[in-house]
Each structure stands twice: as C-alpha cells, then as structure tokens.
C-alpha cells in the first residue's frame, strides 16, 4: 500500500481483481481488471476497496513525469481504462514488469523501469489533454498514440547500433517522411530524440555505477560510433565530460557512514 508520508512520489495502481471504486469529484467509477489510476498517498480515501481485491502499485518520482504539480494534481484519481490506447500499453507493460522478479536490480530491469516512466509521462499528458473532443484533436490523439508507441520502441532498442529512422518507420509500417512529421509536430526530429534518450541513459548509468566503467564501454553499449563522439556529444548536451559527470554524481550520491551502518542494522 502507498506510504501516506511519501510526498516525493506518486503511485500508479493497476487493478487486478475484486471491487475497487475510485472517487473523483462527484463521480464514482468501479475499476475493471487492468484499469489504472494515479494515486496521492495523502488521499487514500479516494480509493475504496472491497472484499478480496488486489491492486499492484508502482511508486514513481514526481519529478520524472515532466509535468508541474498543478498538472499532476489534475490527473490524480482519474480512472484510465486498460483495454485500449496508451492505457492498454501501459497496463500490459507494467503488469509484465511486476511479474518478472529477475528484473529487479539488473541492467535490463533499469531499462524496463525507464520505459515504464516514459510511458507514464505520456499517459499523464494524454489525461491532461482528454477534454478536447473535436475531429482535429481526434486526429492528433491518434498521431500522439502512435508517437507514444514509437517512443516505447526506441526505448527498447536504444542499445541497438542499427536503430535508425528507416528501421523505426519499418517497424511501425509507416514512411520515414510520416515518421519525421510526427516528431516535427512534437518539436523534435527522430535523430535528436534517439540521441537525447541515449545520452540520458548514459548519464543514468554513469551516475549510478558503483564500479569503474570505461567511457568506451558506455559509448559502445548505447550505440555511439566512438568514445570521442560520445564524449563530444555528452559535453555539448551537459557542459561537462562523461568522466566529470561520473565523478560528480558518484561523490554526490555515495552512501555516508551513517547510511551504511543503518543498512547493516536492518
């Protein structure tokens, strides 16, 4: 169950079985299996549980969802059907993730977690935009859902050196021109998006690694053509070299003596 003292995270509940009612404003919605709902630990009364019910809860740092606190507040308690659209994609992915215990504390688990957070950020944006219903918005939503699936595909293949606009378009049965248009409408390009996600993955890996890791290994793992290209791109994006970032991050997040002793007592 969510921790009511946790103010830095939002919880995403995936309904499994049994009667669960979501109270949102004056509306009361009975959840169906695979439905989702964002929860605030401080407002647990908005979820009402019946006999023999089960939900899977995922704890997500609020800062990773890419929206403001007022925007996040708008989607808390809003039921999301898990049978179609991005809701189905997120529900299926999270359910599979929860079932695979071997993903925890592993490289592939980290990749899946990043994909999950990205899917949820897209879901939040869609919930914020759900009030628009005219034909133009319907076309936009269809394109947005396709773009969401493309983003998820890119996340799954970031380590593939052959990932390219051509391979992405082919996997989604669309033309490269239409693919580029989708990203252009979103204020980016395919190549820029792939490069940025690879850089963020590299930064995440370098920041959490407790062992010495070479820049060449990181560059190769995340699809950069060479360590020098990786270093130049990283510095251009973050204003420091990968080595400098690793030293800064590991020193900032290294456990203190008190932390170590506390873990030992547990």
């Amino acid at each position: 169950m969510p921790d009511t003292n946790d103010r830095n995270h939002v919880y995403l509940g995936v309904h499994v079985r049994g009667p669960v009612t979501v109270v949102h404003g004056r509306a009361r919605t009975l959840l169906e299996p695979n439905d989702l709902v964002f929860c605030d630990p401080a407002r647990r009364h908005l979820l009402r549980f019946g006999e023999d019910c089960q939900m899977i809860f995922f704890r997500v740092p609020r800062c990773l969802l890419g929206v403001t606190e007022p925007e996040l507040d708008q989607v808390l308690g809003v039921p999301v059907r898990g049978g179609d659209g991005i809701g189905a994609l997120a529900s299926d992915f999270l359910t599979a993730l929860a079932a695979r215990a071997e993903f925890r504390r592993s490289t592939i688990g980290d990749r899946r977690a990043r994909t999950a957070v990205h899917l949820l950020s897209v879901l939040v944006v869609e919930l914020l935009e759900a009030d628009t219903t005219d034909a133009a918005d319907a076309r936009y939503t269809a394109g947005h859902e396709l773009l969401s699936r493309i983003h998820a595909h890119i996340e799954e293949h970031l380590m593939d050196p052959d990932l390219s606009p051509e391979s992405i378009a082919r996997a989604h049965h669309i033309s490269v021109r239409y693919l580029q248009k989708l990203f252009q409408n979103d204020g980016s390009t395919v190549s820029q998006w792939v490069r940025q996600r690879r850089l963020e993955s590299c930064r995440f890996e370098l920041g959490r690694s407790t062992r010495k890791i070479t820049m060449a290994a990181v560059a190769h793992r995340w699809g950069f053509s060479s360590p020098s290209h990786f270093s130049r791109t990283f510095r251009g994006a973050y204003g420091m070299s990968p080595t400098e970032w690793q030293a800064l991050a590991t020193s900032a997040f290294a456990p203190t003596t008190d932390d170590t002793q506390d873990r030992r007592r547990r």
Side-chain angles (χ1 to χ4, degrees):
M1 295 294 291
D3 179 1
T4 56
N5 295 317
D6 188 352
R7 305 298 182 187
N8 298 319
H9 297 81
V10 65
Y11 287 78
L12 188 281
V14 181
H15 184 227
V16 178
R17 68 168 187 268
V20 178
T21 301
V22 178
V23 180
H24 186 252
R26 296 183 179 180
R28 284 167 169 75
T29 304
L30 185 65
L31 295 183
E32 298 176 359
N34 300 318
D35 285 354
L36 309 98
V37 61
F38 285 98
C39 312
D40 185 341
R43 289 182 276 180
R44 293 175 61 175
H45 63 281
L46 299 181
L47 286 179
R48 299 182 179 177
F49 302 94
E51 293 286 335
D52 192 33
C53 65
Q54 180 182 355
M55 290 188 74
I56 304 171
F57 286 96
F58 296 84
R59 190 175 71 160
V60 185
R62 291 172 179 260
C63 62
L64 295 183
L65 291 176
V67 295
T68 65
E69 283 295 321
E71 288 174 328
L72 184 56
D73 191 66
Q74 292 180 50
V75 306
L76 293 175
V78 178
V80 180
R81 292 306 180 192
D84 54 61
I86 189 66
L89 187 64
S91 181
D92 291 346
F93 188 91
L94 291 171
T95 300
L97 184 63
R100 301 293 295 272
E102 68 270 23
F103 284 166
R104 298 168 188 171
R105 300 184 182 280
S106 67
T107 299
I108 193 171
D110 288 342
R111 290 173 57 194
R112 296 295 192 274
R114 287 194 298 274
T115 300
V117 169
H118 181 70
L119 281 174
L120 295 183
S121 69
V122 172
L123 180 58
V124 168
V125 171
E126 289 213 345
L127 289 175
L128 291 171
E129 297 172 346
D131 291 335
T132 56
T133 56
D134 58 41
D137 285 325
R139 289 194 298 271
Y140 171 81
T141 299
H144 200 64
E145 289 181 358
L146 175 58
L147 188 59
S148 299
R149 293 195 295 273
I150 292 170
H151 285 166
H153 174 85
I154 290 173
E155 290 292 323
E156 288 296 300
H157 296 84
L158 275 179
M159 291 183 173
D160 184 354
D162 295 325
L163 183 67
S164 66
E166 291 75 17
S167 69
I168 295 168
R170 188 166 53 250
H172 292 85
H173 310 289
I174 59 176
S175 68
V176 174
R177 182 177 180 181
Y178 183 57
L179 174 68
Q180 298 286 13
K181 183 178 180 180
L182 286 173
F183 277 83
Q184 183 180 6
N185 291 341
D186 205 43
S188 183
T189 68
V190 182
S191 298
Q192 286 172 349
W193 181 271
V194 171
R195 181 170 61 249
Q196 182 61 32
R197 294 299 302 128
R198 281 175 167 166
L199 283 172
E200 289 172 358
S201 297
C202 291
R203 187 175 64 167
F204 180 84
E205 180 175 345
L206 289 170
R208 72 182 293 274
S209 179
T210 57
R211 58 186 176 84
K212 189 65 176 178
I213 184 170
T214 67
M215 296 306 111
V218 174
H220 177 74
R221 179 158 41 252
W222 293 103
F224 286 93
S225 58
S226 68
S228 59
H229 176 235
F230 166 53
S231 184
R232 287 194 305 272
T233 307
F234 192 98
R235 182 182 290 276
Y238 302 118
M240 64 178 69
S241 70
T243 303
E244 291 169 338
W245 161 253
Q246 184 181 39
L248 178 65
T250 53
S251 64
F253 296 105
T256 64
T257 302
D258 290 343
D259 292 335
T260 303
Q261 291 176 350
D262 183 62
R263 284 197 295 269
R264 288 174 178 173
R265 284 195 294 270
R266 293 177 194 173

